[in-house]
Amino acid sequence: MSSESESSGDFHEMREPRVEKVVVHMGIGQGGRDLANAEEILAAVTGQDPVRTTAKKTVGEFEIREGDPIGAKVTLRDEAAADFLAKSLPLVDLGSQQFDQTGNFSFGVAEHTEFPSQEYDPNVGIYGLDVTVNLVRPGYRVAKRDKASRQIPAAHRLDPDDAVAFVESTYDVEVSQ
């Protein structure tokens, strides 16, 4: 039940979407120098120290054992998240199929050298990164809290159309159909 004004990106203050968090992830598949390079790139691009991710289970075909470090990630919130999105969204072409049913979206940056602060270094190589953006409306915490949690009413849930309108109006990017 979106009104015409909401589809243009003009929201009531209690229905205004906001960025809860942005997770920037680099999956390397192995530890060692490659993972250290990825961590340095993530720190330079996001301005925050990354956290290593480990394999959840053993996969013999890839020679990965449970607990092996295989990637790195950074979770950005508030101003850091908004700044990162302002830098990264112009680098990619977003499509409406990248938005899920609850308004979250993901995209990939093929080469870290696309960021203005990064230059190609033959000793490091080229790494890609995945970005996942979690959008919420005010009041979402009602469903997440431990005491007296309740479902969010269907009319208040963030849908893909509202998320697309928010991203287009806030970050001045075009989301293709």
Side-chain angles (χ1 to χ4, degrees):
M1 293 176 53
S2 293
S3 68
E4 193 62 39
S5 65
E6 284 186 359
S7 64
S8 68
D10 187 25
F11 295 94
H12 181 274
E13 68 181 67
M14 284 305 290
R15 291 185 53 83
E16 176 74 33
R18 67 177 175 84
V19 177
E20 179 187 18
K21 65 181 177 180
V22 175
V23 179
V24 185
H25 177 261
M26 295 175 89
I28 305 302
Q30 61 191 14
R33 189 70 223 149
D34 288 339
L35 185 55
N37 289 340
E39 289 173 336
E40 290 171 12
I41 291 167
L42 271 178
V45 168
T46 62
Q48 232 174 269
D49 290 337
V51 174
R52 285 193 175 186
T53 56
T54 57
K56 293 187 186 293
K57 61 182 181 178
T58 301
V59 181
E61 296 86 42
F62 297 118
E63 297 179 6
I64 295 174
R65 288 194 295 267
E66 182 179 351
D68 283 352
I70 57 170
K73 70 177 179 178
V74 173
T75 301
L76 304 169
R77 296 180 192 274
D78 301 323
E79 285 300 314
D83 293 343
F84 181 79
L85 285 176
K87 282 192 302 189
S88 61
L89 282 175
L91 303 176
V92 297
D93 294 327
L94 282 181
S96 59
Q97 70 279 2
Q98 290 170 276
F99 288 78
D100 68 7
Q101 292 304 306
T102 57
N104 304 312
F105 65 99
S106 296
F107 60 92
V109 179
E111 299 178 2
H112 75 277
T113 56
E114 293 180 22
F115 286 94
S117 63
Q118 298 293 302
E119 293 182 14
Y120 175 71
D121 181 358
N123 297 325
V124 173
I126 295 177
Y127 291 87
L129 45 102
D130 305 314
V131 180
T132 302
V133 181
N134 183 230
L135 299 176
V136 295
R137 281 200 164 123
Y140 81 98
R141 198 178 87 68
V142 169
K144 296 200 183 264
R145 65 187 179 193
D146 289 336
K147 286 187 176 183
S149 63
R150 300 281 185 264
Q151 281 190 337
I152 302 297
H156 192 67
R157 291 188 195 127
L158 191 61
D159 62 14
D161 296 333
D162 288 344
V164 167
F166 171 75
V167 170
E168 286 181 333
S169 65
T170 305
Y171 295 103
D172 196 30
V173 294
E174 183 69 31
V175 178
S176 63
Q177 297 300 323

